[in-house]
Structures are given as structure tokens and as C-alpha cells.
Amino acid sequence: MLRNQLPADELAHIRDEIRALRVREAELRQCFTDECNQGVFEGCDYDVVVQLHKRRVLKKSSLPPEILNNPCFFEEKTAPVVRVVPRKEPRLPLGFSESAPPFNDENFEVIELF
């Protein structure tokens, strides 16, 4: 993990890692569920237990329009959405600009090594 990153860049890198891990998790889950519907798969440190789980799900498509179109059956909620957007051009570190000299003349010494 790179420590000297701006938080926006770090968030983007973390999301890339999470995306790759989710893809790998899906591949592994498929290995267990394709093998059989239920079972125990042994590992060295962990076991995987696959069980079928039933739950009731509301079929929204079966609801009559008077319920689907009636606002009293719904409530609005807000939540922050954090998006990572790639920059068109990389940003220089804080305090640097392309036109400015990289160092102040006041506090700059040249050290030559032989």
C-alpha cells in the first residue's frame, strides 16, 4: 500500500483492489455452488459450508398500479454517494506548479558529493 497518496487517489486504488477481490470471490463461490447445492468443503484453516436458504420476496410487478403510483406507500431517503472520477490531467503535489521553480532560493543549498 502506498502511504504518500492524496485521499482521493488512495480511495480509487482501494476500490480497484475491492473490485478485483469481488471478481475472485465470485469465481470461488461459483466453484462451490456448481459442485453441488449443499455441502462442506474443507480447507487447511477454514471450511466452506454451502446451504440453501429460502426467503420471501415481494413481487413488485404483481402490485396494482394504485399502490405503485401512490406516494403514501413510499418514503424518500437520502444518502451520500461517493464517486471516484479519473482526472483528465494528473495534479502536481501540494505547493508545486509547472511554472514555479521547485525550490525557494532562500532555503536552498547545493551539496556536491565527490
Side-chain angles (χ1 to χ4, degrees):
M1 172 185 245
L2 300 173
R3 297 236 183 244
N4 293 333
Q5 293 181 332
L6 293 173
D9 296 327
E10 186 178 1
L11 179 60
H13 291 296
I14 288 171
R15 286 188 174 180
D16 286 341
E17 291 176 26
I18 290 171
R19 194 175 301 111
L21 289 170
R22 283 190 176 136
V23 167
R24 182 61 182 145
E25 180 191 15
E27 291 169 352
L28 291 170
R29 287 175 58 93
Q30 187 174 4
C31 291
F32 299 120
T33 56
D34 284 354
E35 183 78 21
C36 68
N37 289 334
Q38 306 190 85
V40 176
F41 301 86
E42 295 179 354
C44 292
D45 296 319
Y46 300 93
D47 293 336
V48 171
V49 178
V50 179
Q51 297 174 320
L52 294 178
H53 176 75
K54 288 185 184 180
R55 62 186 172 118
R56 292 177 55 184
V57 179
L58 178 65
K59 296 188 326 185
K60 291 181 184 177
S61 60
S62 300
L63 292 175
E66 49 274 3
I67 291 179
L68 285 173
N69 298 328
N70 191 335
C72 74
F73 290 106
F74 298 93
E75 66 179 343
E76 285 189 8
K77 293 184 177 184
T78 59
V81 175
V82 179
R83 295 177 37 226
V84 176
V85 181
R87 293 180 59 90
K88 292 179 182 170
E89 293 184 23
R91 180 174 166 262
L92 293 173
L94 295 174
F96 289 92
S97 71
E98 289 184 12
S99 60
F103 302 103
N104 252 345
D105 291 337
E106 309 165 351
N107 298 325
F108 184 71
E109 294 181 19
V110 175
I111 300 174
E112 295 183 20
L113 301 175
F114 297 96

